[in-house]
């Protein structure tokens, strides 16, 4: 039984355990997110979001992709507030038009603004593709190329894993973090990150964003029971965890005085890492988070960066402390967790069968408890189940908190409980062996 339990903790047959583990990980993130990730949104991160309200203005008239000079205007306005760094979550692939009126290509203003960012010492990160690099040779030396990974797991379409690099190019969050700490992404770690999605309310967003889901929020107990009994049955649109500023409010500030408007925007932008992205109707850049929330793709990078800034090198991963030590360490930890349970079950079984005489051990009360539990099997089953839940829950918490395994490791220990480390199972094996022996005895006599 101990061997079977250890295999259940360390081996996924046909990938079934992997899917179950990830589902359970998402359950934890959805309902216990404020416990497993107890941080407020990192104050250094702001998402600058372009929405349809800006796109449908008289100037832009709903056109998408919009002109590069429009983005230049956004970046120029942003520069007034001196951000710490800027990540642009757009793939600028469209053709650059020529204006006979100005005699300039669309995007010349954008290059001018990027030169000003460089002069101010503000790093600008742009997604790399061969097409973008070919269309914008002027970007060389002005921007830092980064990769933008696929925003979801292909098995369930949930955005939880964030790699270090793609095709030899560091991903946005890892590159920004490494530049802030002056370390290469590989010096931070060599393992992909399992994003723990923040679920705490962001009061900066709550001030001006309407939370449509608030009126239908169930209690934690009701929510957990509904999910366990029925599975996930809804997708939420909640106020984002990451601090958010709309492009509309950056370009058209509303306040009693210009000074007040400046100070309000400065609180969101000054010395912050700005992630500039979009939430536009018809633009398929959305992610499905482990917390059952649908958000624009730019929040995927924002949440990954939040994990890196909050947790540092101790971010969570399916590989735990590192790819080289994973199998050995997790195997040892799971063995040390399973072994005492196996000893306890074997001891209880031996006592119940009278195989350990009273004179062999002084624990009279233990023997009395075992004998009592034999008379009340349902109470015994309940008590042992509770003890196992606490024991395996403690083991899973140690692996999550101190060895940085993602929450999916918890499911492995739940599977062990389902397998059953109860004395009834030991007795079942004993009875099965007796029946097999009886069968052989009967065949031999025949």
């Amino acid at each position: 039984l101990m061997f079977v339990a250890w295999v259940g903790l360390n081996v996924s047959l046909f990938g079934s355990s992997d899917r179950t583990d990830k589902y359970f990980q998402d359950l934890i993130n959805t309902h216990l997110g404020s416990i497993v990730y107890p941080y407020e949104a990192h104050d250094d991160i702001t998402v600058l979001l372009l929405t349809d309200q800006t796109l449908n203005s008289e100037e832009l008239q709903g056109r998408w992709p919009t002109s590069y000079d429009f983005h230049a205007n956004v970046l120029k306005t942003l520069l007034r507030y001196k951000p710490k760094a800027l990540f642009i979550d757009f793939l600028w692939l469209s053709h650059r038009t020529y204006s006979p009126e100005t005699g300039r290509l669309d995007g010349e203003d954008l290059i001018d603004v990027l030169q000003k960012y460089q002069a101010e010492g503000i790093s600008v990160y742009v997604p790399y593709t061969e097409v973008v690099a070919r269309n914008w040779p002027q970007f060389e030396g002005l921007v830092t190329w980064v990769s933008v990974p696929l925003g979801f797991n292909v098995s369930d379409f949930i955005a939880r894993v964030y790699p270090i690099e793609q095709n030899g190019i560091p991903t946005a969050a890892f590159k920004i973090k490494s530049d802030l700490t002056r370390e290469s992404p590989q010096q931070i770690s060599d393992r992909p990150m399992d994003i723990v999605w923040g679920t705490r309310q962001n009061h900066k967003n709550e001030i001006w964003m309407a939370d449509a889901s608030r009126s239908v929020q169930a209690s934690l107990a009701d929510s957990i029971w509904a999910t366990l009994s029925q599975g996930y049955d809804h997708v939420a649109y909640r106020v984002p965890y990451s601090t958010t500023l709309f492009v509309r409010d950056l370009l058209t500030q509303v306040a009693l005085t210009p000074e007040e408007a400046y100070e309000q925007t400065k609180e969101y932008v000054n010395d912050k890492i700005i992630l500039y992205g979009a939430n536009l109707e018809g633009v398929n850049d959305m992610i499905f988070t482990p917390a059952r929330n649908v958000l624009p793709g730019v929040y995927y990078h924002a949440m990954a960066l939040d994990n890196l800034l909050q947790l540092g090198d101790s971010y969570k991963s399916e590989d735990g402390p590192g790819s080289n030590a994973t199998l050995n360490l997790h195997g040892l930890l799971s063995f040390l967790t399973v072994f005492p349970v196996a000893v306890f079950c074997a001891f209880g079984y031996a006592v119940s069968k009278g195989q350990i005489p009273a004179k062999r051990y002084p624990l009279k009360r233990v023997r009395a408890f075992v004998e009592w539990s034999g008379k009340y099997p349902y109470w015994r089953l309940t008590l042992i189940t509770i003890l196992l839940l606490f024991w395996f829950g403690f083991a899973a918490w140690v692996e999550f908190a101190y060895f940085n395994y993602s929450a999916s490791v918890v499911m492995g220990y739940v599977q062990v409980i389902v397998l059953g480390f109860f004395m009834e199972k030991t007795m079942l094996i004993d009875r099965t062996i007796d029946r097999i022996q009886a069968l052989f005895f009967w065949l031999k006599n025949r």
Side-chain angles (χ1 to χ4, degrees), residues 6 28 66 68 158 167-168 185 274 288 302 371 386 397 446:
W6 185 87
I28 292 174
T66 186
Y68 294 119
I158 296 178
N167 301 321
I274 307 300
F288 192 22
E371 292 175 347
I386 292 172
W397 175 78
R446 289 286 297 238

Side-chain angles (χ1 to χ4, degrees), residues 351-381:
V351 169
S352 66
K353 300 290 286 186
Q355 295 174 354
I356 301 180
K359 63 181 181 181
R360 295 284 300 274
Y361 63 97
L363 302 178
K364 303 288 188 181
R365 292 182 180 178
V366 174
R367 183 182 180 90
F369 167 75
V370 172
E371 292 175 347
W372 170 84
S373 66
K375 299 177 182 177
Y376 303 98
Y378 294 109
W379 281 108
R380 173 178 62 192
L381 183 63

Side-chain angles (χ1 to χ4, degrees), residues 145-189:
W145 295 113
V146 294
S147 62
V148 284
L150 188 67
F152 56 84
N153 187 301
V154 294
S155 67
D156 55 18
F157 303 101
I158 296 178
R160 70 168 71 84
V161 179
Y162 198 91
I164 299 173
E165 64 177 26
Q166 278 193 336
N167 301 321
I169 301 175
T171 51
F174 274 97
K175 181 58 178 172
I176 295 170
K177 170 62 164 59
S178 68
D179 285 353
L180 291 175
T181 58
R182 301 186 183 280
E183 298 176 328
S184 71
Q186 285 73 18
Q187 285 178 305
I188 296 175
S189 180

Side-chain angles (χ1 to χ4, degrees), residues 130-391:
E130 292 183 0
V131 176
V132 174
R134 186 167 58 249
N135 287 350
W136 299 91
Q138 301 92 334
F139 280 4
E140 198 63 41
L142 292 180
V143 304
T144 300
W145 295 113
V146 294
S147 62
V148 284
L150 188 67
F152 56 84
N153 187 301
V154 294
S155 67
D156 55 18
F157 303 101
I158 296 178
R160 70 168 71 84
V161 179
Y162 198 91
I164 299 173
E165 64 177 26
Q166 278 193 336
N167 301 321
I169 301 175
T171 51
F174 274 97
K175 181 58 178 172
I176 295 170
K177 170 62 164 59
S178 68
D179 285 353
L180 291 175
T181 58
R182 301 186 183 280
E183 298 176 328
S184 71
Q186 285 73 18
Q187 285 178 305
I188 296 175
S189 180
D190 61 350
R191 65 197 196 280
M193 172 169 53
D194 269 21
I195 299 176
V196 185
W197 214 274
T199 58
R200 285 180 173 269
Q201 291 185 348
N202 187 323
H203 298 294
K204 284 186 178 179
N205 292 343
E206 291 282 344
I207 293 172
W208 58 277
M209 280 186 172
D211 185 2
S213 66
R214 183 182 304 159
S215 60
V216 296
Q217 287 293 318
S219 69
L220 178 62
D222 291 341
S223 180
I224 293 176
W225 170 248
T227 303
L228 291 176
S229 60
Q230 304 171 16
Y232 284 127
D233 58 356
H234 70 280
V235 177
Y237 290 87
R238 302 187 188 94
V239 170
Y241 172 84
S242 301
T243 300
T244 303
L245 174 67
F246 285 173
V247 170
R248 171 202 66 193
D249 299 318
L250 175 70
L251 299 180
T252 308
Q253 300 171 11
V254 178
L256 295 176
T257 65
E259 292 77 14
E260 184 180 342
Y262 179 85
E263 290 300 322
Q264 286 177 357
T265 307
K266 182 180 178 182
E267 182 182 358
Y268 285 85
V269 178
N270 179 244
D271 204 32
K272 310 295 185 188
I273 304 167
I274 307 300
L275 294 92
Y276 177 34
N279 180 21
L280 303 173
E281 186 176 352
V283 177
N284 191 24
D285 184 23
M286 304 295 288
I287 57 165
F288 192 22
T289 78
R292 308 301 290 183
N293 197 7
V294 175
L295 288 171
V298 65
Y299 288 98
Y300 174 57
H301 306 286
M303 197 67 242
L305 182 59
D306 196 284
N307 274 220
L308 288 173
L309 295 181
Q310 301 280 19
L311 302 174
D313 298 349
S314 300
Y315 64 80
K316 308 307 175 186
S317 171
E318 189 176 14
D319 293 335
S323 56
N324 294 330
T326 299
L327 291 176
N328 293 335
L329 180 60
H330 183 61
L332 177 61
L333 288 172
S334 56
F335 174 79
L336 293 177
T337 303
V338 167
F339 183 74
V341 179
V343 171
F344 171 77
C345 289
F347 176 78
Y349 172 73
V351 169
S352 66
K353 300 290 286 186
Q355 295 174 354
I356 301 180
K359 63 181 181 181
R360 295 284 300 274
Y361 63 97
L363 302 178
K364 303 288 188 181
R365 292 182 180 178
V366 174
R367 183 182 180 90
F369 167 75
V370 172
E371 292 175 347
W372 170 84
S373 66
K375 299 177 182 177
Y376 303 98
Y378 294 109
W379 281 108
R380 173 178 62 192
L381 183 63
T382 301
L383 181 60
I384 292 178
T385 301
I386 292 172
L387 291 174
L388 287 174
L389 284 171
F390 274 103
W391 175 246

